[in-house]
Amino acid sequence: MSDQAPPVLTPAVHTVGLTRTYGSMTALSDLNLTVNRGDLFGFIGSNGAGKTTSLRILATFLTPTSGTAKVLGCDVVTQSDEVRHLIGYMPDFFGVYKDMEVTEYLDFFAACYKIPSASRDKTVSDVLELVGLSEKKGALIGALSRGMQQRLGLARVLIHDPQLLLLDEPASGLDPRARIEMMAILQELQRLGKTIIISSHILSELQSLCNRVAIIEKGKLIYAGPVQGVRDQMSEGPVYWVTVAHGTQAQAIEVIKRCDGIKEVEMADGKIKVSLVSSETDPAAISGALVTSGLRLLGFREDEIGLEEVFMRVTRGDTQ
Amino acid sequence: MLEVVERELRVASRSRGIFASRAVAAGIPLAILLYYHLVMQSFYGRMSGSGLFNTLMYLALFAVSFGGLRSTSDSITSEKREGTLGLLFLTALSATDVIAGKFAAYGLRSFYSLIATLPMIALSLLLGGVTGGEFLCGSLLLLNTLFFSLALGLVCSTFFKRQNAALGVASALMMVLMLAGFLVQAALEWWQIRPPDVVVHLFSPLMAFAKISNSFMGADPQFFWIHVGFLQALGWLCLLLAKRGVRECWKEVVVANTFTRMNWLNWRSWPSLLVESSQSLAAYRNRALSHSPYYWRVTRSKILRMLPWSSVILAVLAICCGFVFDSGFVRQGGFAVFVLVILHLVFRVMLAASAAFVMVEDRLSGGLELALGTPLTVKRLLHGYYWGIWRNFGGPLATIILLELAIFSWVAFIEADLDKEMVRMMICFCLNLVVDCLAIVPLTLWKAIDLNKPQHAAGIAGLRILVVPGVLFVLLVSLAHPDGDSVAIIWVFINFFNALLNGGISDRKLRDHLRERVASRFTAKIPLV
Ligand SMILES: Nc1ncnc2c1ncn2[C@@H]1O[C@H](COP(=O)(O)OP(=O)(O)OP(=O)(O)O)[C@@H](O)[C@H]1O
Ligand SMILES: [Mg+2]
């Protein structure tokens, strides 16, 4: 794992010009993406954006129409066997045999990874412990709840201790509590040094969970980078909310408009929304101007623009 | 009680199957009727209705015997799986209410299907030769059999967790009942006791009808009522057992596979005859998994493993019964050959069905795709399938061939000069079976990659392996008029070539395209979870 990482770190995932078409439909076009080791990487896009397609290419299920993808330095097309050893792919379906017991199921996949039978038992109980399914060892999978089946899927992915996890919407269909638990497990895994790519629609969670995200729309990459950077790149400039005493708003707007670097000033919800041209503009100048013109400044805060909003802004909600 | 019935009926009314099953139930006799009318009559002139009546009655009795099992075998198991059985008991319902409600609700569909069949059977009245009384008795017999079959399915459903286990055991019990007459007779004759006729015909509805239709009501009118009463009593016994069982079984809704030790005095441990202990299962799993994951996957179900053996055992039983009953025909081996021909057919069909079943289930559940995402190679995966399927079927196949050798040596021993023709045919017969079985596995697996219904894949494989060479053979022989020696050679050759072609090509295709087909099909077509 990461403690013995090689001196020159190849990125966990590196794609160049990755393209995949289905007939005349381009599901993924010219994707250039780099995911570093140890990242918890969020992969965001609306329905049909091409998330599953990209993950399935990385998981060696699909061959790209053009372009290359490397997982931990191994090419997904020419070195697919090596790649399969390195990754754990959890698809957007369960893939469970309902009439198997939990341990049988995990034993089965452990054998697929050629884990020797001597260590199989221990490995299986370890992963079950990790995902919190220890009590369900002997249960039939068909009798597990949806959330438990999802955890079982996660356990299956972890059974061969892969370095890279590709999780396609692992939290879908979970109740809020189970979702938070799932996220906790993922953070724990990241702490253990795994690289995790997680695709999701649930943006608010990715915001606190992931350190880097990519936004993809109609098969094209729109943004890739740290979560904080999304706003800087996506929205034009910072936004501040100014609250002044009732009845003095019109006057305050006039004052603010006279400051430098102001792009737009408008009223919203009884507050004044001030959009700056760029993050270089000093917001203190605005508050200073308001105070010196004798207005009572009740509130002044930066707009906490969430991933959700950025997402809504960059994607127009159209699906392919 | 009414609440359960009402709830079940509401669920049932939403399913489209109930209409389909009625349509099928009415459609099959109608097809036979048309066939009789158009084909048979044009050959033989006007026929009496009794032949048709008997044919339809046998078919209907057979369908009712096993159809009823199918309806009720999932009635309690489904509640157990979903853990809702306990909820029923939290209300004021008693065990009797639950059993009666389930019986009524699940039986209703079969009952409707049966009712839809009766007018078709009644049409044979129009042809003459069948009296209204006979028809009424036949209908009563059908209803009575349905009652028993439903009850048997229900009782098995209370004692098993999985529907296929319940259905399997229920069907086996039904089979035993159908053969019970022969077995009792064989046993009695062994002790030099001439059993009364009633004994042979009492147990099985089919045999009972045979007796009734032979001497209809004239010679032995009481027998009809004896049989009806017997099945009624058995049915009520089943319901009583089910009532006792259902009160106990919901408490262990925990779906752990707890293994109860086999104890002949405790009827509740009897199912463990079919279920292996978890220790022996784990030991087997360990061994099989190191062979190949899919080897274990294919061989893990004991019921699937016993299926081919059951066909062999049934055939042996039938042959033994034949020896007990008949003398002349059997001594010439005719009856045994007839049974073996059927066995050969059934065996191929079972092989194809189980291969198709495994592949379709693997693919639809998504398990196969996940396995392909691991370093498991397609080659190793296919080996697992092949060896697993052969572990299930190899023993029975060898037994069939040994059995045939034994019968032949015996016939050769009895009859000093053995019919050479027949020996030759028999050897071809065995050769063809082996070759076909070898080819049928890859062919069915390959077909099952694209189809979502196992029976379709098995059907196509059967067509390609059995029907096509058969037609070719008949064409060739009727055109070329070869002599006896060459007929056998042609037969084997055509079959061999056909099997080699189908099996070889399918195996190649599986190796080359399995990965891509499984992955692409999966995203493109199949609705998930
Ligand atoms: N097997 C296929 N054949 C044809 N088109 C496909 C196939 N698989 C995916 N597509 C198309 O490729 C596009 C991208 O699909 P993909 O499954 O990658 O989307 P996604 O981002 O995962 O969406 P979702 O959030 O709904 O899971 C979609 O327009 C889809 O219709
Ligand atoms: Mg998707």
Side-chain angles (χ1 to χ4, degrees), chain A residues 22 52 56 59-62 81 84-85 87 89-101 103-105 107-109 111-114 117-118 120-121 138-140 142-143 146 149 156 160, chain B residues 81 161-162 164 255-257 278 281 285-287 289-290 292-294 296-297 300 361-363 365-377 380 385 515-516 518-520 522-523 528-529:
Chain A
Y22 290 107
T52 301
R56 285 170 68 79
T60 75
F61 281 115
L62 286 177
D81 278 343
R84 285 184 202 123
H85 271 290
I87 60 165
Y89 171 56
M90 182 168 156
D92 45 0
F93 55 86
F94 293 146
V96 293
Y97 294 106
K98 304 230 180 240
D99 65 337
M100 272 190 196
E101 288 170 22
T103 31
E104 284 181 323
Y105 182 71
D107 267 358
F108 175 74
F109 280 100
C112 288
Y113 284 106
K114 293 199 172 168
S117 55
R120 220 180 276 150
D121 272 355
L140 287 181
R146 197 186 158 90
Q149 291 192 12
R156 180 189 63 76
H160 61 300
Chain B
R81 269 200 310 274
K161 242 163 266 157
R162 307 175 192 182
N164 13 9
V255 195
N257 272 356
S278 48
L281 275 179
R285 184 163 80 235
N286 244 330
R287 264 179 292 132
L289 278 179
S290 30
S292 156
Y294 272 86
W296 170 74
R297 154 87 185 97
R300 64 184 276 273
E361 200 199 3
D362 274 348
R363 206 170 41 88
S365 69
L368 187 59
E369 190 181 353
L370 291 185
L372 286 172
T374 71
L376 184 75
T377 57
R380 195 154 156 253
Y385 271 135
R515 183 178 292 282
E516 150 209 346
V518 167
S520 67
F522 206 64
T523 40
L528 295 166
V529 187

Side-chain angles (χ1 to χ4, degrees), chain B residues 53 65 124 173 308 467 487 510:
Chain B
F53 178 69
S65 303
S124 57
L173 287 176
V467 180
V487 166
L510 277 173

Side-chain angles (χ1 to χ4, degrees), chain A residues 22 25 27 45-54 92 168-169 201 320, chain B residues 520 523-524:
Chain A
Y22 290 107
M25 222 269 311
S46 42
N47 287 132
K51 305 179 296 290
T52 301
T53 305
S54 333
D92 45 0
D168 202 348
E169 299 183 27
H201 308 283
Q320 297 193 21
Chain B
S520 67
T523 40

Side-chain angles (χ1 to χ4, degrees), chain B residues 49-62 65 121 124 130-131 133-142 145 178 198 200-217 220 223-225 227-228 231:
Chain B
S50 64
L52 177 63
F53 178 69
N54 286 349
T55 314
L56 289 179
M57 274 299 295
Y58 278 123
L59 273 177
L61 278 172
F62 192 79
S65 303
I121 298 179
S124 57
V130 186
T131 66
E134 281 172 336
F135 174 71
L136 276 183
C137 285
S139 309
L140 189 59
L141 195 61
L142 282 173
T145 311
M178 294 210 161
V198 178
V200 185
H201 294 269
L202 181 63
F203 302 99
S204 148
L206 290 173
M207 290 302 290
F209 180 70
K211 183 168 168 64
I212 294 164
S213 65
N214 281 343
S215 54
F216 213 99
M217 300 309 276
D220 203 1
F223 174 73
F224 174 77
W225 296 110
H227 169 74
V228 167
L231 270 196

Side-chain angles (χ1 to χ4, degrees), chain A:
Chain A
M1 269 188 313
S2 66
D3 335 321
Q4 297 122 28
V8 182
L9 278 181
T10 46
V13 170
H14 184 66
T15 72
V16 179
L18 204 60
T19 302
R20 167 77 202 200
T21 56
Y22 290 107
S24 63
M25 222 269 311
T26 309
L28 197 62
S29 95
D30 196 25
L31 181 77
N32 298 307
L33 190 68
T34 305
V35 178
N36 295 320
R37 288 184 187 221
D39 274 356
L40 217 168
F41 194 91
F43 206 49
I44 304 168
S46 42
N47 287 132
K51 305 179 296 290
T52 301
T53 305
S54 333
L55 290 183
R56 285 170 68 79
I57 290 177
L58 293 180
T60 75
F61 281 115
L62 286 177
T63 46
T65 313
S66 68
T68 59
K70 287 198 161 143
V71 171
L72 296 152
C74 299
D75 190 283
V76 292
V77 179
T78 55
Q79 296 170 288
S80 52
D81 278 343
E82 285 90 332
V83 172
R84 285 184 202 123
H85 271 290
L86 295 170
I87 60 165
Y89 171 56
M90 182 168 156
D92 45 0
F93 55 86
F94 293 146
V96 293
Y97 294 106
K98 304 230 180 240
D99 65 337
M100 272 190 196
E101 288 170 22
V102 168
T103 31
E104 284 181 323
Y105 182 71
L106 291 177
D107 267 358
F108 175 74
F109 280 100
C112 288
Y113 284 106
K114 293 199 172 168
I115 293 172
S117 55
S119 56
R120 220 180 276 150
D121 272 355
K122 176 152 176 19
T123 316
V124 168
S125 32
D126 282 354
V127 288
L128 282 179
E129 180 81 53
L130 187 63
V131 299
L133 270 185
S134 296
E135 285 110 79
K136 292 286 174 183
K137 264 187 172 174
L140 287 181
I141 296 178
L144 296 184
S145 74
R146 197 186 158 90
M148 288 176 183
Q149 291 192 12
Q150 222 128 355
R151 287 183 200 201
L152 179 64
L154 195 60
R156 180 189 63 76
V157 164
L158 294 171
I159 198 133
H160 61 300
D161 193 20
Q163 302 183 36
L164 173 65
L165 299 180
L166 304 171
L167 311 177
D168 202 348
E169 299 183 27
S172 69
L174 296 185
D175 63 33
R177 184 188 183 81
R179 217 176 281 157
I180 290 168
E181 283 170 7
M182 173 75 90
M183 296 305 155
I185 297 175
L186 292 184
Q187 269 166 339
E188 171 70 13
L189 288 171
Q190 188 197 19
R191 210 181 50 72
L192 291 174
K194 308 221 177 290
T195 312
I196 303 172
I197 301 184
I198 164 172
S199 96
S200 179
H201 308 283
I202 306 164
L203 303 163
S204 41
E205 270 154 13
L206 289 193
Q207 187 171 7
S208 53
L209 183 75
C210 300
N211 56 346
R212 280 157 55 83
V213 293
I215 299 180
I216 176 173
E217 174 69 10
K218 288 189 182 176
K220 293 202 180 64
L221 187 68
I222 297 179
Y223 171 79
V227 178
Q228 280 67 36
V230 179
R231 195 193 55 197
D232 298 348
Q233 188 162 334
M234 292 300 152
S235 56
E236 294 79 3
V239 172
Y240 287 86
W241 289 96
V242 179
T243 321
V244 291
H246 191 70
T248 58
Q249 282 106 334
Q251 197 189 343
I253 289 176
E254 287 309 310
V255 173
I256 296 169
K257 274 186 177 164
R258 265 179 268 138
C259 297
D260 289 333
I262 304 293
K263 199 170 118 209
E264 198 182 4
V265 185
E266 57 187 337
M267 283 289 294
D269 300 339
K271 292 180 197 158
I272 303 165
K273 183 182 175 192
V274 184
S275 313
L276 305 186
V277 174
S278 75
S279 45
E280 260 105 83
T281 314
D282 184 11
I286 302 170
S287 50
L290 285 171
V291 174
T292 45
S293 49
L295 289 163
R296 272 188 66 204
L297 189 60
L298 299 180
F300 190 88
R301 65 179 176 82
E302 188 173 0
D303 188 21
E304 294 276 320
I305 171 174
L307 264 188
E308 209 98 29
E309 193 168 331
V310 173
F311 179 73
M312 289 307 285
R313 247 182 243 174
V314 297
T315 67
R316 307 260 128 47
D318 16 42
T319 45
Q320 297 193 21

Side-chain angles (χ1 to χ4, degrees), chain B residues 36-51:
Chain B
Y36 244 79
H37 192 71
L38 296 177
V39 181
M40 300 297 252
Q41 293 222 15
S42 67
F43 278 115
Y44 303 108
R46 198 173 157 70
M47 295 179 59
S48 96
S50 64

